[in-house]
Amino acid sequence: MAAQTADLIVVGAGQGGVPLAVDFAKAGKRVVLFERKHLGGTCVNVGCTPSKAFLASAHNAGRARAAAAIGVHCDVRLDVPAVMKRVNAIRGEWHDGVEKRLRDASVQIVMAEAHFVGERTLEGGGVTVKAPIVVLDTGTSPACPPIEGLSEVPYFTNETFFDQTNLPRRFIVVGGGYIGLELGQGLRRLGCEVTILETGKRLIPREDADATEVLAKALRDDGVDLRVGRQATCTHGPGEVSVRLDDGTEIKADAILVAAGRTPNTGALDCAKSGVELDERKFVKTDAHLRTTCKGVYALGEVAGQPAFTHVSWEDYRRVKAVIEGGTRTKDDRVLAYCTFTEPQLGRVGMNEEEARRKGRDVRVVTYQLEDDARAIEWNLQRGFYRLVVDAKSDEILGATLVGYEAGEFVHTILAHMEAGSTWRVLERSVHIHPTFNEGLPSLARKLL
Ligand SMILES: Cc1cc2nc3c(=O)[nH]c(=O)nc-3n(C[C@H](O)[C@H](O)[C@H](O)COP(=O)(O)OP(=O)(O)OC[C@H]3O[C@@H](n4cnc5c(N)ncnc54)[C@H](O)[C@@H]3O)c2cc1C
């Protein structure tokens, strides 16, 4: 069959691909978008949206229980089917909204897995299209970690977890990264018995050890059984899974959730047919402007090896769009922030001390404990600390780690200072409202005086 022609082909209806397709189509360009599973990609269907809706119920239950410590006794009765129904309704609305945006803009949607059949030419679902510009936004999929027996055991991943209409009583979560900790704590707060198994030496190793220690203690206090640094073997019998640890312990459960790393969705693309090279980890190789090794083909978001966050993929879209239109944006021209949505949260922006020292920076580091914070004391939310890393000579703010109640919100204050190129001295002289959690940030900077 002869190839159709288009002005732009987008492969993957993820966070960057959708707005790019819509913008070009609205500008009168002919755009074809291939999507093999669900419009909106991971975030909307099986990532941020369902997980945060799930955590909203879980953390409300946790907060209601914790209120007893300040004299408010709540009778927490869980309606888990209602929780899951709400999760599914919210992600359904977002999914439908994405579809409407694409259709309203007259993007041609092909619901099929696409692969290259030639230079800037893709085929999928019986449709073959050639275009001068191709953008790959194919994301990643959950990886199966090398745990003996795991591949023979039925398990959930984020792709299937939110399809549940009720929750089994006992869960083993494999993976002590941010997804494993968030969903593990969520499951526990919604009434499940939960074991989180991390075979590596530490939870979220890119974070400061004392920051992850605060999270570990919070999860343990919730009743999560955390097993870190243990090797394991999995087996399953009728209606039950079992994990034997290298210390001889056996943990039985009704279900396993695997949240232990991601692999890039490049296997099906047959990138070589278009001269698009992959790196040694099978991510698409891109230069600073998100251009691949084939002229006219760009990659963005997770498949381009970018940090695995929705706001990164979305921001990449603005960069790719600018580059296609002759601009010079690069993939690193931004301050990166992110959050682990456990309670307490871990909000991060820029570099931590270890990363800054690795980059050869001469740093000063200060820490402010929330146990000394007025708002935290009044609300009985003293778990955590705020930490600032600054350049010892220029006073530039290099990064911050905030662990505490809604810390993912407050980290934006630091982000704004960093984007504005201000120094810790500007933060120090800012007078924040008393008593707020944000008031802790100038107090933190004052420790540098
Ligand atoms: C449980 C969970 C919770 C998360 N929570 C957060 C959070 O709170 N905040 C945050 O910032 N990030 C979060 N993330 C990460 C975030 O979801 C991802 O970083 C983001 O969705 C990546 O976007 P993307 O555009 O790179 O790819 P994706 O959104 O993954 O989109 C890729 C799309 O490409 C499609 N595709 C793949 N191959 C092909 C092919 N050959 N042909 C056609 N289509 C194809 C896929 O089906 C998919 O729809 C979470 C992730 C998970 C798993």
Side-chain angles (χ1 to χ4, degrees):
M1 198 199 297
Q4 304 178 29
T5 54
D7 297 309
L8 168 71
I9 302 169
V10 175
V11 187
Q15 290 308 301
V18 169
L20 198 70
V22 168
D23 281 6
F24 275 74
K26 279 188 172 167
K29 307 281 183 201
R30 202 171 130 48
V31 181
V32 178
L33 177 138
F34 289 94
E35 169 53 54
R36 71 179 178 189
K37 206 161 187 187
H38 19 224
L39 299 172
T42 303
C43 172
V44 165
N45 299 284
V46 291
C48 330
T49 303
S51 66
K52 270 68 231 182
F54 178 81
L55 290 180
S57 298
H59 290 332
N60 267 308
R63 289 174 188 188
R65 291 186 193 107
I70 54 171
V72 179
H73 299 270
C74 303
D75 173 19
V76 177
R77 280 175 293 120
L78 298 165
D79 182 350
V80 175
V83 171
M84 301 311 287
K85 200 172 162 191
R86 175 177 176 272
V87 166
N88 277 290
I90 291 175
R91 69 172 170 171
E93 275 171 34
W94 280 99
H95 168 277
D96 295 350
V98 169
E99 178 163 5
K100 185 170 182 320
R101 269 170 67 206
L102 288 164
R103 294 205 187 280
D104 286 353
S106 301
V107 172
Q108 183 186 340
I109 303 168
V110 183
M111 287 306 296
E113 186 170 80
H115 60 277
F116 283 105
V117 289
E119 210 169 70
R120 290 179 297 278
T121 309
L122 283 126
E123 186 185 283
V127 177
T128 307
V129 199
K130 187 175 175 61
I133 302 166
V134 175
V135 176
L136 303 175
D137 178 25
T138 54
T140 60
S141 294
C144 180
I147 292 179
E148 202 184 320
L150 183 59
S151 56
E152 284 96 63
V153 170
Y155 58 80
F156 289 103
T157 66
N158 69 294
E159 300 274 340
T160 49
F161 181 83
F162 302 104
D163 297 338
Q164 297 176 93
T165 51
N166 208 340
L167 297 173
R169 189 170 60 83
R170 300 168 301 170
F171 246 104
I172 296 170
V173 177
V174 176
Y178 82 93
I179 296 171
L181 296 187
E182 286 179 6
L183 294 180
Q185 189 182 36
L187 284 165
R188 177 69 196 133
R189 289 183 162 199
L190 289 173
C192 300
E193 289 170 28
V194 178
T195 301
I196 298 180
L197 170 64
E198 169 54 56
T199 55
K201 286 199 194 102
R202 276 189 48 197
L203 301 173
I204 333 184
R206 67 169 177 263
E207 307 301 346
D208 291 350
D210 54 353
T212 49
E213 203 34 59
V214 175
L215 303 192
K217 179 151 184 358
L219 264 70
R220 287 200 169 103
D221 287 352
D222 272 357
V224 173
D225 180 12
L226 264 183
R227 306 293 179 120
V228 181
R230 300 255 72 101
Q231 299 312 305
T233 310
C234 295
T235 52
H236 73 114
E240 193 172 70
V241 286
S242 171
V243 170
R244 184 173 288 281
L245 304 182
D246 57 0
D247 62 1
T249 321
E250 187 171 19
I251 301 156
K252 291 183 184 297
D254 306 304
I256 294 186
L257 165 66
V258 173
R262 314 276 305 169
T263 49
N265 293 330
T266 47
L269 281 173
D270 209 353
C271 284
K273 289 256 167 61
S274 188
V276 173
E277 288 175 23
L278 306 182
D279 69 14
E280 61 292 343
R281 293 163 55 230
K282 307 282 184 215
F283 289 89
V284 177
K285 262 193 207 171
T286 56
D287 66 7
H289 306 289
L290 295 160
R291 294 181 296 215
T292 73
T293 49
C294 174
K295 191 170 181 320
V297 181
Y298 300 79
L300 54 76
E302 289 196 21
V303 77
Q306 289 284 75
F309 301 103
T310 283
H311 45 284
V312 171
S313 177
W314 188 81
E315 249 318 304
D316 281 357
Y317 125 73
R318 298 210 302 172
R319 282 158 177 73
V320 167
K321 189 177 172 205
V323 172
I324 292 172
E325 290 170 350
T328 53
R329 301 285 312 259
T330 73
K331 62 180 172 184
D332 298 320
D333 60 357
R334 71 182 139 210
V335 177
L336 177 66
Y338 55 87
C339 177
T340 300
F341 293 90
T342 44
E343 283 211 328
Q345 294 180 359
L346 193 161
R348 255 295 293 280
V349 58
M351 294 184 272
N352 66 5
E353 179 177 0
E354 193 186 322
E355 289 162 352
R357 291 201 190 279
R358 231 186 292 132
K359 289 216 157 111
R361 304 294 290 250
D362 183 7
V363 299
R364 296 178 68 197
V365 182
V366 282
T367 304
Y368 170 88
Q369 297 293 340
L370 286 184
E371 65 194 13
D372 301 326
D373 184 87
R375 176 80 163 178
I377 293 165
E378 287 148 11
W379 282 74
N380 193 37
L381 292 165
Q382 299 97 317
R383 249 183 232 279
F385 58 80
Y386 296 167
R387 176 167 294 148
L388 195 63
V389 181
V390 303
D391 187 285
K393 291 189 195 74
S394 67
D395 294 343
E396 179 192 356
I397 298 174
L398 301 177
T401 296
L402 309 186
V403 189
Y405 177 77
E406 297 292 342
E409 304 290 337
F410 312 133
V411 84
H412 291 97
T413 300
I414 307 285
L415 184 149
H417 276 274
M418 291 175 73
E419 276 290 359
S422 82
T423 67
W424 66 262
R425 291 184 191 278
V426 179
L427 177 63
E428 179 276 318
R429 66 168 184 258
S430 310
V431 182
H432 285 201
I433 297 165
H434 174 79
T436 60
F437 282 101
N438 234 313
E439 187 189 22
L441 297 176
S443 306
L444 170 67
R446 273 168 216 139
K447 287 180 173 276
L448 290 158
L449 287 171

